Amino acid sequence: MKYIKYQTKDNKVFVGILEDETIYRLNYESIIDAIKDEEDIKKYYLNNFKDCLDDVKVLTPVDPSKIVCVGLNYNDHANELSMNIPSEPLLFLKPSTSVIAHEENIIYPKDTKKLDFEAELGLVVLSEINNKNNEDVFDIAYTIINDVTARDLQEKDGQWTRSKSFDTFCPIGPVVATGINPSNLRICSKVNNEIKQDSNTGYMIFSPKELIHYISSIMTLKEGDLIATGTPPGIDHLEHGDKIEIIVEKIGILRNIVK
Ligand code: MG
């Protein structure tokens, strides 16, 4: 199921289930609380009040305390860069202040001359995970993340904090999806309707499960935290006014404009 958080024209905020263009309102304040009651919700949501997607403003689906990102996690991307396959995941963080919603603007900072997009499958942590509960089944759902990057600053600084952390550098959403298999999803990006990246999550070097095991052995993952699982080949630059869309099969389209 696809969960969406949104604001109506009279400025009220709701969580709902999205099916095509129809949103079925739910009586929950957070998507994660709703997902925890999914079995009950399935029984009644079709009778609920309906909104139309075209009439609402989509909000960020979760409020992460951190976004843990993985560098170089696609076989085909490593081949493109002639880089060796890493033996363990390369991690970095984006701050929660970089998060924006579907249809909000990515601000092109004055400090960079090379602004790139990166299409990524996002994992949404539904309940706390740490190395003390070393289980094999994790409570996660899925979203889309654009890991926006100031490529010239990444190269110049040698480490990635500045290049990955500007305000608006982490578009997420538009929905959180449950009940999908993350190991076989088409993942694409388009700039002004031209396809740039077109791959499949099956080419990941470290699977979502392996990433969660690895990351939670280092830091506690809190409810609502996000993991950006890396990007496939074909990353490219963005210019002022560009429309960037990240498409992940069974989740949707995350669309933003560069200002
Ligand atoms: Mg990335």
Side-chain angles (χ1 to χ4, degrees):
M1 296 179 89
K2 293 179 185 176
Y3 294 80
I4 190 163
K5 191 169 185 180
Y6 62 100
Q7 188 172 37
T8 55
K9 284 183 175 141
D10 53 355
N11 291 325
K12 295 205 170 90
V13 173
F14 295 100
V15 164
I17 301 282
L18 178 68
E19 286 187 358
D20 301 317
E21 304 290 298
T22 303
I23 305 170
Y24 298 86
R25 271 188 203 176
L26 299 175
N27 196 17
Y28 289 86
E29 293 201 353
S30 92
I31 284 178
I32 292 179
D33 287 345
I35 291 174
K36 287 176 177 165
D37 285 348
E38 182 165 273
E39 289 311 309
D40 278 344
I41 288 169
K42 275 182 186 168
K43 292 174 197 157
Y44 68 76
Y45 77 94
L46 289 171
N47 300 320
N48 285 13
F49 186 89
K50 296 195 267 290
D51 289 295
C52 178
L53 185 60
D54 286 343
D55 296 336
V56 305
K57 178 181 190 292
V58 178
L59 303 177
T60 51
V62 289
D63 299 306
S65 75
K66 58 185 169 295
I67 303 101
V68 187
C69 306
V70 184
L72 204 71
N73 195 34
Y74 276 77
N75 278 305
D76 42 358
H77 186 44
N79 293 341
E80 173 188 54
L81 300 172
S82 303
M83 290 178 81
N84 292 328
I85 304 292
S87 58
E88 53 188 7
L90 171 65
L91 302 184
F92 62 94
L93 294 169
K94 286 172 98 80
S96 57
T97 44
S98 63
V99 170
I100 57 170
H102 173 69
E103 303 274 18
E104 287 190 316
N105 293 328
I106 298 166
I107 306 298
Y108 199 129
K110 289 188 204 69
D111 319 41
T112 180
K113 304 229 160 1
K114 234 191 220 182
L115 187 71
D116 283 8
F117 58 87
E118 296 186 359
E120 310 207 6
L121 172 68
L123 312 181
V124 181
V125 176
L126 299 179
S127 57
E128 188 168 299
I129 306 170
N130 62 42
N131 57 7
K132 287 191 282 297
N133 49 17
N134 192 19
E135 295 158 9
D136 217 37
V137 180
F138 301 115
D139 220 2
I140 57 168
Y142 305 92
T143 191
I144 303 172
I145 298 178
N146 185 352
D147 174 19
V148 180
T149 304
R151 195 69 66 199
D152 49 350
L153 301 183
Q154 185 183 29
E155 287 156 11
K156 183 179 175 190
D157 290 356
Q159 55 82 34
W160 301 1
T161 304
R162 181 166 65 141
S163 64
K164 296 282 191 179
S165 299
F166 285 91
D167 289 355
T168 76
F169 269 27
C170 193
I172 65 170
V175 302
V176 173
T178 60
I180 59 176
N181 174 4
S183 64
N184 182 21
L185 300 172
R186 188 177 177 196
I187 178 167
C188 306
S189 57
K190 288 185 190 173
V191 177
N192 304 327
N193 303 322
E194 182 192 340
I195 290 201
K196 296 289 185 176
Q197 297 174 283
D198 189 357
S199 185
N200 190 290
T201 58
Y203 292 115
M204 279 188 197
I205 296 167
F206 301 102
S207 68
K209 194 191 263 190
E210 289 170 317
L211 292 174
I212 290 176
H213 266 296
Y214 184 77
I215 296 165
S216 64
S217 74
I218 301 161
M219 63 189 95
T220 297
L221 290 166
K222 309 269 278 185
E223 179 179 301
D225 281 355
L226 294 173
I227 298 168
T229 55
T231 200
I235 52 174
D236 204 350
H237 310 316
L238 293 167
E239 302 297 341
H240 289 275
D242 279 350
K243 175 178 74 172
I244 169 69
E245 292 172 302
I246 314 292
I247 304 119
V248 180
E249 187 184 357
K250 294 183 180 163
I251 304 178
I253 302 174
L254 171 63
R255 181 184 309 111
N256 301 88
I257 305 285
V258 180
K259 284 276 149 121

